[in-house]
């Protein structure tokens, strides 16, 4: 373990809300610590697409270092968005929307954007590139580590990963955050 096992208070609250909601699909602690570290280097507006119950957003918030930085996050499922909103009810720096991620298009450009690796058409580099400011960071999680090129997942070329790692608009790297989990980090040139 490369970090103390203690969790920031806002992340502990997010885990409690997730448990009460019966939601078990959330940002791993290893990815969360990476998000907090990256958030500590950012100002402006950050975003998460696909909030779930707010664990990823809580990790982002735990890293924010100034009072002017905002985090806006969208969750399509109204029940989950309501649960996430509980965590940040008294936090003017976080806005939780019960909406599709496309409603955030007019709230950027973002200095940091966190996405699940989900459907390639939704989180593909072409769909996301213009949402991030120059020098901004995109973090995509939920990848299985791959040691070959081109990257392969489930016996097929992982075109989402391949496109992010080769797009000339970004400098990108795959980072193994645990033995069974990898994250892509892409900085817009």
């Amino acid at each position: 373990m490369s970090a103390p096992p203690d969790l920031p208070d806002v992340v502990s609250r997010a885990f409690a809300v997730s448990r009460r909601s019966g939601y078990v699909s959330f940002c791993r602690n290893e990815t969360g610590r990476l998000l907090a570290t990256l958030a500590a280097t950012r100002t402006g507006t950050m975003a998460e697409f696909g909030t779930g119950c707010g664990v990823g957003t809580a990790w982002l918030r735990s890293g924010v270092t100034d009072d002017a930085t905002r985090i806006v996050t969208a969750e399509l499922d109204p029940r989950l968005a309501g649960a996430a909103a509980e965590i940040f009810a008294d936090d003017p720096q976080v806005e939780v929307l019960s909406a599709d991620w496309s409603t955030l298009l007019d709230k950027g450009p973002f200095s940091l954007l966190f996405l699940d690796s989900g459907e390639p058409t939704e989180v593909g580099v072409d769909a996301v590139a213009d949402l991030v400011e120059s020098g901004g960071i995109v973090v995509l999680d939920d990848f299985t580590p791959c040691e070959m090129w081109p990257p392969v997942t489930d016996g097929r070329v992982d075109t989402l990963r391949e496109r992010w790692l080769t797009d000339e608009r970004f400098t990108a790297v795959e980072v193994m955050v645990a033995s069974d989990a990898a994250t892509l980090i892409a900085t817009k040139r």
Side-chain angles (χ1 to χ4, degrees):
M1 176 170 291
S2 62
D6 298 336
L7 298 175
D9 288 342
V10 67
V11 174
S12 293
R13 289 196 315 270
F15 276 125
V17 167
S18 291
R19 279 191 297 278
R20 280 197 313 273
S21 300
Y23 189 72
V24 295
S25 178
F26 44 74
C27 173
R28 295 172 65 132
N29 289 346
E30 299 90 346
T31 302
R33 292 187 194 289
L34 175 63
L35 287 173
T37 300
L38 293 171
T41 71
R42 309 277 90 196
T43 58
T45 303
M46 298 180 214
E48 179 182 12
F49 295 173
T51 306
C53 283
V55 174
T57 300
W59 277 111
L60 286 171
R61 181 63 179 101
S62 74
V64 170
T65 58
D66 71 5
D67 293 337
T69 299
R70 290 185 54 240
I71 301 171
V72 60
T73 187
E75 170 55 49
L76 189 58
D77 182 320
R79 183 181 66 82
L80 297 179
E86 284 178 41
I87 301 160
F88 306 104
D90 296 326
D91 190 337
Q93 289 180 258
V94 179
E95 179 181 9
V96 178
L97 300 174
S98 177
D100 181 78
W101 70 268
S102 63
T103 62
L104 300 181
L105 296 178
D106 64 343
K107 296 189 181 281
F110 303 111
S111 63
L112 191 154
L113 176 57
F114 176 47
L115 311 162
D116 281 335
S117 61
E119 291 298 317
T121 55
E122 292 180 358
V123 297
V125 68
D126 290 331
V128 173
D130 292 337
L131 303 177
V132 182
E133 64 189 31
S134 180
I137 298 172
V138 178
V139 178
L140 293 100
D141 76 342
D142 294 336
F143 288 96
T144 300
C146 182
E147 297 178 2
M148 63 177 62
W149 190 261
V152 174
T153 302
D154 296 327
R156 295 183 169 194
V157 173
D158 186 338
T159 56
L160 174 67
R161 186 180 338 208
E162 181 181 39
R163 288 183 186 135
W164 272 102
L165 291 170
T166 60
D167 192 279
E168 292 185 4
R169 294 169 285 188
F170 290 87
T171 299
V173 64
E174 178 177 330
V175 176
M176 200 164 88
V177 294
S179 61
D180 63 342
T183 299
L184 293 185
I185 303 170
T187 301
K188 190 170 182 182
R189 295 180 181 176

